[in-house]
Amino acid sequence: MSGHYEAPIREPLIIGHKTYHDITEDIARPIEERAGKLWWISLYAALVLFIYGFGCIAYTIGTGIGAWGLNRTINWGWDITNFVWWVGIGHAGTLISAVLLLFRQRWRMSVNRSAEAMTIFAVVQAAIFPLIHMGRVWVGYWVFPLPNQFGSLWTNFNSPLLWDVFAICTYFSVSTVFWFIGLIPDFAMIRDRAKTPWTKKIYTLLSFGWGGKAKHWQRFEEVSLVLAGLATPLVFSVHTTVSFDFATSVIKGWHSTIYPPYFVAGAIFSGFAMVQTLLLIARKVCHLEDYITMYHIEIMNIVIVLTGGMVTVAYATEYFIGWYSGSRYEDFTYLSPGAAIGPYWWAFWALIICNLVIPALFWFKKVRTNIIATFIIALIINIGMWFERFDIIVINLSRDYLPGSWTMFKPTIIDVGVYLGTIGFFSVLFLLYARTFPVIAQAELKSILKISGETYKVKEGDEHH
């Protein structure tokens, strides 16, 4: 047992005196048992939003993007705001899985599966917006360098919008493979416990003949490390590329070298907040309190404080440089005195309060370890990060270089409907995932039971006393 000893001062990652069999039973229960009433109510509510949003998208395609609240000055509105917001949310999944795997952080094992699923579902939502923003969805394949009916029509490789296509497609592909590879041992566990031939067939196909042999585990570990190495640069490259949509332009407030690191920090900030939101729901609904412990929640909150501090420094830098430049045009950017007291003052102060003031409460341990407070603050951070993207796009564009073209953006019911539809679509995907896939990697949990389980830590403590 001495080889498994861990200092008693560390909080256990698994509580409740669990055995290997207990872990298997607890992780398989949400899949094998019938769905509860709360799950069905949530699914129906999400489906209503999804259908409404799908109708708004169909109306947009049939009518044109004139159905949105865009005008001659503000030709990017809610669509690109939502695109950047969803891409940002998709960031924390790969960070938790890949980067923390390379750093051998054991606490990731209870949260990485849901974070990876969230990444994939969020990127799917993000991909919807550039597609419908084209206006002509049926020529969407033009963004790829493919021969077509017009002959040699090649895309403009100097456009950051094209870089988005390649970056997001790569990110989605690697994240999906990484997520699926991690699921294979768990699929085999569900296969071996299956009670109906149909279920057994499905999970047999998904598990790719996994038998739990030493050779299988060796290959599993090797592939996981390789994919983690590939995914880690993507964490930084994808949102850096998204920031180039703005940073390579000549619009005031956008043409800024701070945008790439600033966007990456903001993406991780909002992504961790969304992971926290989903984990707290899954923890309660699936009865996983012994595996997603208060220690996990506190560690996640500490990461939110760290990335929130980076975002705060970026805000202060943007505000200071805007003032120090002496340019009168900088008075109307999203972080400026003009934004604070101008017609979009409410959006400016929503950004400051939701992203700077309220997350600072996590500096206090009582707040960090309070589940209700954590859930509320995580939701507020996601709202604040949406306002940040809204402010960057709409406030900067609403005050053009010519005062004669100054205007306000007024979203239509179609704008709102498309956004709500993506939230519904995301919720439907996540709810279905929680009923068909293990939400925690049981094989990884078992690997740390003897060094981070409450039962074994108590035994070690007794031995040393």
Side-chain angles (χ1 to χ4, degrees):
M1 291 284 282
S2 59
H4 297 294
Y5 177 68
E6 187 176 87
I9 195 171
R10 287 182 180 271
E11 293 187 47
L13 296 175
I14 301 171
I15 60 176
H17 303 283
K18 298 294 181 183
T19 63
Y20 292 134
H21 179 68
D22 292 335
I23 292 175
T24 302
E25 290 291 326
D26 292 342
I27 303 304
R29 188 180 300 117
I31 301 167
E32 295 174 345
E33 291 183 354
R34 297 177 76 87
K37 195 177 287 184
L38 184 62
W39 185 87
W40 283 109
I41 292 169
S42 303
L43 182 66
Y44 287 138
L47 278 170
V48 168
L49 282 180
F50 172 52
I51 293 166
Y52 174 59
F54 185 81
C56 291
I57 290 172
Y59 181 80
T60 299
I61 294 169
T63 309
I65 59 172
W68 297 344
L70 305 176
N71 52 57
R72 286 170 61 187
T73 304
I74 304 174
N75 43 27
W76 275 5
W78 271 39
D79 50 318
I80 302 298
T81 300
N82 298 331
F83 164 70
V84 180
W85 187 72
W86 278 117
V87 172
I89 281 175
H91 251 59
T94 307
L95 181 83
I96 289 172
S97 295
V99 180
L100 298 182
L101 172 64
L102 295 176
F103 282 99
R104 302 295 185 186
Q105 295 296 308
R106 294 193 189 100
W107 64 267
R108 61 173 277 282
M109 294 178 181
S110 292
V111 300
N112 68 324
R113 180 66 54 72
S114 293
E116 290 166 19
M118 183 202 73
T119 290
I120 294 161
F121 303 151
V123 171
V124 169
Q125 310 314 314
I128 292 171
F129 288 99
L131 196 64
I132 58 175
H133 190 265
M134 291 177 179
R136 299 185 180 116
V137 182
W138 49 92
V139 293
Y141 65 92
W142 284 5
V143 299
F144 297 102
L146 298 171
N148 52 66
Q149 68 265 37
F150 294 109
S152 301
L153 176 63
W154 294 89
T155 48
N156 180 12
F157 288 100
N158 293 324
S159 170
L161 295 172
L162 181 65
W163 307 345
D164 281 346
V165 173
F166 287 104
I168 290 168
C169 288
T170 308
Y171 186 61
F172 178 78
S173 305
V174 173
S175 298
T176 304
V177 172
F178 192 38
W179 177 58
F180 188 82
I181 292 292
L183 278 162
I184 288 175
D186 293 339
F187 285 147
M189 179 265 288
I190 303 295
R191 173 200 67 197
D192 296 340
R193 294 170 56 91
K195 294 174 182 174
T196 63
W198 181 243
T199 308
K200 196 171 186 70
K201 260 182 193 172
I202 292 171
Y203 285 101
T204 299
L205 285 171
L206 291 172
S207 60
F208 282 92
W210 177 271
K213 297 174 183 175
K215 193 69 177 174
H216 293 174
W217 279 111
Q218 181 191 351
R219 287 171 179 163
F220 177 80
E221 294 287 340
E222 287 172 355
V223 171
S224 296
L225 282 172
V226 169
L227 287 172
L230 284 172
T232 301
L234 287 174
V235 174
F236 303 99
S237 69
V238 172
H239 224 58
T240 298
T241 305
V242 171
S243 76
F244 289 161
D245 293 349
F246 306 95
T248 56
S249 72
V250 292
I251 304 293
K252 57 188 174 48
W254 287 2
H255 194 70
S256 172
T257 53
I258 200 177
Y259 262 36
Y262 164 42
F263 267 53
V264 170
I268 297 169
F269 182 52
S270 62
F272 264 83
M274 182 60 89
V275 171
Q276 192 75 287
T277 307
L278 296 173
L279 277 178
L280 290 175
I281 295 170
R283 179 180 187 266
K284 187 69 178 173
V285 173
C286 300
H287 307 293
L288 298 171
E289 289 88 351
D290 292 338
Y291 306 104
I292 304 171
T293 66
M294 192 54 68
Y295 178 71
H296 292 96
I297 293 166
E298 186 178 6
I299 289 284
M300 295 278 286
N301 288 338
I302 289 169
V303 176
I304 289 172
V305 168
L306 175 66
T307 51
M310 295 177 187
V311 171
T312 302
V313 170
Y315 287 167
T317 305
E318 286 278 279
Y319 196 94
F320 172 75
I321 294 299
W323 166 80
Y324 189 70
S325 68
S327 168
R328 55 195 297 266
Y329 298 114
E330 293 285 344
D331 292 340
F332 302 105
T333 57
Y334 72 105
L335 280 172
S336 65
I341 58 174
Y344 283 107
W345 62 269
W346 48 273
F348 174 88
W349 290 110
L351 161 71
I352 299 300
I353 292 167
C354 294
N355 288 351
L356 270 63
V357 179
I358 292 177
L361 294 172
F362 279 148
W363 282 99
F364 302 102
K365 189 176 179 68
K366 279 189 177 178
V367 180
R368 279 202 310 271
T369 53
N370 184 301
I371 290 175
I372 295 172
T374 296
F375 185 74
I376 292 169
I377 293 172
L379 280 177
I380 289 171
I381 288 170
N382 279 306
I383 294 168
M385 290 307 293
W386 186 90
F387 270 107
E388 183 208 278
R389 278 63 185 255
F390 176 83
D391 290 358
I392 286 173
I393 294 162
V394 173
I395 293 181
N396 280 7
L397 291 176
S398 66
R399 292 293 179 263
D400 205 348
Y401 290 111
L402 296 174
S405 61
W406 287 6
T407 186
M408 295 285 287
F409 173 78
K410 294 177 182 175
T412 65
I413 195 169
I414 305 298
D415 279 308
V416 178
V418 173
Y419 176 55
L420 292 177
T422 56
I423 291 177
F425 190 16
F426 178 83
S427 303
V428 167
L429 291 173
F430 199 85
L431 287 165
L432 293 175
Y433 145 79
R435 288 286 303 147
T436 51
F437 297 162
V439 294
I440 293 180
Q442 55 89 26
E444 293 188 355
L445 278 184
K446 289 175 182 177
S447 73
I448 63 165
L449 182 62
K450 285 194 174 183
I451 49 175
S452 292
E454 187 180 48
T455 305
Y456 295 94
K457 298 191 81 156
V458 170
K459 285 182 180 177
E460 292 290 352
D462 290 345
E463 284 176 16
H464 284 269
H465 285 305

